[in-house]
Amino acid sequence: MPAATVTDSTVTDSGRKRRGAVILRARGITKTFPGVLAIRAGELEVRAGEIHALVGENGAGKSTLIKILTGAHPPDAGRIEWCGRPVRIRSPQDALRLGIAAIYQEFNLVPGLSVRENLFLGRERTRRGLIDVARERHRGLQVLQRLGAEIDLEAPTGRLAVAGQQLVETARAILDDARLLIMDEPTAALMPREVDRLFAVLAGLRGRGHGILFISHRIDEVFRIADRVTVMRDGETLGCWPTSELTRGALIEKMVGRPLEQEFPKQSSPPGAVVLELRDLCGGAVRGVGLRIHAGEVLGLAGLVGAGRSELARLIFGADRPAGGEIRLDGARARIRSPRDAIRQGICLLTEDRKSQGLVLGLSARENFALPNLGHWSRGGWIDGRAEARAFSRFVESLQIRIAGPEQPARHLSGGNQQKLLIARWLEQDARVVIFDEPTRGIDVGTKYEIYLLINALARRGKAILMISSELPEILGMSDRILVMREGCIAGEIEKPAQSSQEQILGIAVG
Ligand SMILES: Nc1ncnc2c1ncn2[C@@H]1O[C@H](COP(=O)(O)OP(=O)(O)OP(=O)(O)O)[C@@H](O)[C@H]1O
Ligand SMILES: [Mg+2]
């Protein structure tokens, strides 16, 4: 679809075109947390009928800025104007009353309630004191249909996939008459087809005059859907540009502060002996997977969500019990009963879900780093705190983790920095097999590059690497070989990724 430009941001309104007025303007926003200047003089402007992208490196201050706009954090200084009038937004309720709704990655839905109940939670339609179910159903259906969402209103919300829950949140924002919809990395957990659908929904909302502000680390999405883009760097807003006036390279350079010559620095080392072999492995959604990974090889594992990729990783890691089949390490059958067993035998897993399976949010960054590595720095039963601290700061530096200090609670790190912390702690392990599940989800372009260099370095040191990724350019750009899973089985292999295409992978994945 053609992108409207700033100077002529147009909205089709019953066949007539009009310029979208500025609905939100933020000036001089400043926010400090203990030890961190998160935002300094932040500027932002969103118009009605525009899709506006907010981009920048991990820790640049994007989430903090939108939390200020939605009343989740008070700013230290700055002014916010809503539809031309200065406003104070002290709580999410204030924001909603104005017509600003936010959809975060952790959804605000009650899993045990039905979709309808979630849609009308706190805004129940009643009749003589009783919930008017018929009216709620009618209105709910109307909104879901408008979004093109085929969702059963009486289904338990917790059973919906991420994409479904996101649509329910979007529907709720529309029920609340939101004029500005803010989404923090809405596509991070979606499959290509779900992204298409979300973008169609957003384009529809733009056509109706809603303003949309969204954060994304995927540059192609910014160019695909956004009319304008605001770039943040180190807590400052660098500026705002119509996407039609920028190239991909120019935008990356603004974000990272330097040009990035190459996005995928793939190096291949000659593969050695087979390190990990699976024979007919079954369990959960996984139905008979056989594969081999050689020392120094990066094996990419592609497939749609639900194809069984993460479950396969959990089986190998001992997080779930296989129902059958064999796991072999260096040619011998391995007994892996628990993640502890797996770690002891040199297998590590970087999980896709950092919140629930990875970090202990209440502990500090350093403690999280040290957690699986305690044996590493202990001398005669004592932890060598100095060696641990040295290892920690080495990793903070090499991964450019943006952090106030080693004792900062993991909870307060930005999303991308939490991910880097997880990687840091597993890389410290003396592993022979490293499984990455969506290693760069939520990671900015500059740091993705750093992570790819780390993957190269691990391969050079002879580790066998299994890389699960839904980012097709990444899997094509960084794997030596690709296996594609479908319905729990290996559906196909791509031997020369460099000569392959995204279409070829999707073709196998869909069947
Ligand atoms: N509640 C908090 N307490 C302390 N520091 C915080 C808090 N929230 C954010 N920060 C810090 O503020 C800075 C900006 O974080 P923010 O989450 O806004 O980054 P971001 O641009 O959204 O990054 P990402 O792309 O990784 O999600 C970071 O240095 C972060 O550690
Ligand atoms: Mg963020």
Side-chain angles (χ1 to χ4, degrees), residues 188-395:
L190 301 187
M191 287 302 294
R193 212 178 285 165
E194 296 166 334
V195 173
D196 291 347
R197 170 131 74 130
L198 175 70
F199 282 0
V201 167
L202 296 187
L205 292 172
R206 163 171 62 190
R208 287 207 174 75
H210 293 269
I212 292 148
L213 177 67
F214 85 105
I215 296 180
S216 177
H217 284 296
R218 298 184 179 163
I219 312 290
D220 43 337
E221 289 179 352
V222 173
F223 283 101
R224 204 172 125 198
I225 185 106
D227 303 303
R228 291 194 297 170
V229 54
T230 291
V231 180
M232 293 193 76
R233 188 159 84 214
D234 288 335
E236 290 184 54
T237 39
L238 221 60
C240 169
W241 293 267
T243 45
S244 57
E245 289 174 12
L246 287 178
T247 60
R248 187 183 169 89
L251 179 59
I252 292 178
E253 186 168 347
K254 288 185 197 305
M255 290 167 61
V256 183
R258 63 186 152 81
L260 202 65
E261 273 112 39
Q262 192 193 11
E263 279 183 57
F264 302 105
K266 177 66 187 158
Q267 284 175 349
S268 285
S269 13
V274 173
V275 177
L276 178 76
E277 179 178 0
L278 307 181
R279 290 190 185 165
D280 201 24
L281 197 66
C282 302
V286 178
R287 300 183 305 156
V289 166
L291 59 79
R292 290 167 162 200
I293 314 178
H294 298 254
E297 184 182 38
V298 179
L299 179 67
L301 192 59
L304 303 180
V305 165
R309 296 170 305 165
S310 297
E311 274 119 301
L312 180 65
R314 289 174 56 83
L315 289 177
I316 303 172
F317 190 58
D320 293 328
R321 272 292 180 84
E326 270 182 47
I327 301 171
R328 301 176 70 86
L329 275 172
D330 296 326
R333 191 171 179 158
R335 294 186 121 238
I336 300 169
R337 294 246 160 99
S338 63
R340 230 193 155 85
D341 283 352
I343 293 168
R344 246 197 313 263
Q345 293 177 60
I347 300 179
C348 58
L349 168 67
L350 180 82
T351 49
E352 108 192 272
D353 181 354
R354 54 191 172 238
K355 290 271 161 56
S356 70
Q357 292 176 31
L359 292 176
V360 184
L361 295 176
L363 292 183
S364 74
R366 182 191 51 76
E367 287 165 318
N368 268 287
F369 168 76
L371 216 52
N373 295 316
L374 287 176
H376 227 74
W377 300 293
S378 64
R379 300 249 157 78
W382 294 91
I383 304 285
D384 182 347
R386 291 245 294 278
E388 182 196 296
R390 267 201 306 277
F392 181 69
S393 57
R394 207 170 51 233
F395 272 103

